[in-house]
Amino acid sequence: MVMPRFVRPKEGDSESSPNLYVANCGPAVGLSFDTIASAFSSFGEVKGVYAADESGARVIVSFLEPASAHSAFIALNGRPCPHLGGRSLHIRHSILQPPSCREMASVPVSLNASDLNIPGLYLLHDFISVVEEGQLLQAVDTGSWISLSKRRVQHYGYKFCYDTRNVDTKQHLGALPSFVSFILERISLSPDIPETLDLDQLTVNEYPPGVGLSPHIDTHSAFEGLIFSLSLAGPCIMEFRRYTAGSWVPKTASISGTEVENPNSCSEVSRKAIYLPPRSMLLLSGEARCAWHHYIPHHKIYRQNFERLVV
């Protein structure tokens, strides 16, 4: 699974490329792709804005015409952009490198849930603000952590037991913490949420650098129909896999994060991937919740994730 690879053009080819590599710009610094596209559209028609890597702070701005890209480069490189909060942008021309044979077998990464065409999958960009993200990170930092083999967790409402992969409904831990009250209210008011909810369970997961998730479907009896996942402090790429009947199924698939053997060994599988920027809310429901395994490959980006805020 790879992001589109853009590289420096050869000497003399810069002005023939419609693509710009723009650093200090992206969701990780509080700028949505739509905001970036709007700012650069004053130089010509923008075909799209893409993540240049997993940092969330570097993007590719792709114009329809090379002349538009060059005009934007001359006007904005090394200078503050008033339409992007006065941030100084570091820009260079870039070209799309043809994928290698190995990369062609990988999964293209989408920026929007609708591009994956998985029923029940929703991604809400900029669900919270940068300020709210900072407040949440401070609040959870003072919580009571439980150390697992590769990450730390906090449980609210009901504790998830990783041995049985279920919750004990007889042991209620109390109401959800006040620091998520505004999130619950925002979920209830969102027109993108398909039904009225009574959310009473929360798990906070802290993933150190290099730690991902094995392919799994979260326990149905523990989390019921909907799973919300709010990403904080860093981006990641999540892959979705649907295995055909009789094909390989992860032996230890669970939310415990246990490694599985040969997760790519089965050819009878549909694979799709999406980029989850910081402060985005992912919703798994219906087919996306029950029929597709979700999976985060190992990566080097620090991220902290409010995952599985569920009924």
Side-chain angles (χ1 to χ4, degrees):
M1 178 172 55
V2 294
M3 301 291 288
R5 180 175 296 173
F6 290 83
V7 297
R8 290 179 181 270
K10 296 180 180 178
E11 186 176 354
D13 291 341
S14 295
E15 296 184 24
S16 64
S17 172
N19 306 306
L20 295 177
Y21 173 95
V22 185
N24 196 29
C25 184
V29 295
L31 301 174
S32 68
F33 292 122
D34 288 341
T35 299
I36 297 167
S38 177
F40 278 84
S41 64
S42 61
F43 300 95
E45 184 175 348
V46 176
K47 290 196 302 181
V49 177
Y50 315 100
D53 52 35
E54 291 188 356
S55 70
R58 293 178 283 271
V59 299
I60 298 294
V61 178
S62 182
F63 286 92
L64 184 65
E65 300 292 341
S68 301
H70 189 63
S71 296
F73 173 79
I74 296 298
L76 297 178
N77 183 36
R79 302 177 183 177
C81 178
H83 300 295
L84 296 176
R87 302 193 72 85
S88 293
L89 307 180
H90 307 284
I91 305 175
R92 68 170 185 250
H93 289 280
S94 188
I95 60 174
L96 179 63
Q97 185 181 61
S100 65
C101 293
R102 180 178 180 181
E103 291 173 335
M104 291 179 67
S106 300
V107 183
V109 179
S110 299
L111 301 177
N112 299 294
S114 58
D115 296 337
L116 271 63
N117 196 29
I118 299 178
L121 180 67
Y122 302 88
L123 180 64
L124 311 179
H125 291 264
D126 298 315
F127 191 79
I128 62 173
S129 68
V130 175
V131 173
E132 290 169 334
E133 178 185 39
Q135 293 170 341
L136 285 172
L137 290 172
Q138 285 185 333
V140 300
D141 193 48
T142 61
S144 178
W145 291 101
I146 300 172
S147 295
L148 303 180
S149 60
K150 294 186 177 180
R151 70 180 192 272
R152 299 192 302 172
V153 300
Q154 296 179 20
H155 296 291
Y156 298 93
Y158 294 92
K159 180 180 179 180
F160 184 84
C161 179
Y162 296 97
D163 293 331
T164 62
R165 286 183 282 183
N166 211 330
V167 297
D168 185 352
T169 56
K170 297 180 180 179
Q171 295 186 7
H172 187 228
L173 302 178
L176 297 185
S178 59
F179 60 76
V180 296
S181 297
F182 78 96
I183 298 175
L184 302 179
E185 181 180 4
R186 200 162 295 171
I187 288 174
S188 68
L189 297 176
S190 174
D192 298 296
I193 305 304
E195 57 186 85
T196 302
L197 303 172
D198 180 19
L199 302 178
D200 61 1
Q201 198 276 343
L202 166 67
T203 300
V204 180
N205 293 279
E206 182 186 69
Y207 297 91
V211 175
L213 282 176
S214 301
H216 68 279
I217 295 176
D218 293 282
T219 308
H220 295 88
S221 58
F223 300 111
E224 299 187 8
L226 302 179
I227 292 178
F228 294 90
S229 177
L230 177 62
S231 295
L232 302 176
C236 76
I237 295 173
M238 178 174 282
E239 182 177 316
F240 292 88
R241 300 179 176 186
R242 182 163 186 173
Y243 300 90
T244 58
S247 65
W248 178 89
V249 176
K251 295 180 181 179
T252 57
S254 73
I255 67 169
S256 65
T258 305
E259 289 298 319
V260 295
E261 297 180 359
N262 301 319
N264 297 304
S265 62
C266 174
S267 60
E268 299 179 61
V269 57
S270 298
R271 299 171 59 199
K272 301 182 180 184
I274 192 169
Y275 175 76
L276 304 181
R279 299 176 295 281
S280 65
M281 176 70 82
L282 180 72
L283 168 59
L284 303 181
S285 65
E287 182 179 316
R289 162 75 175 93
C290 300
W292 290 77
H293 290 72
H294 56 280
Y295 159 59
I296 300 177
H298 293 311
H299 53 79
K300 300 300 182 182
I301 303 297
Y302 176 83
R303 64 192 297 272
Q304 196 165 12
N305 189 18
F306 279 77
E307 187 175 4
R308 306 177 189 96
L309 177 57
V310 300
V311 180

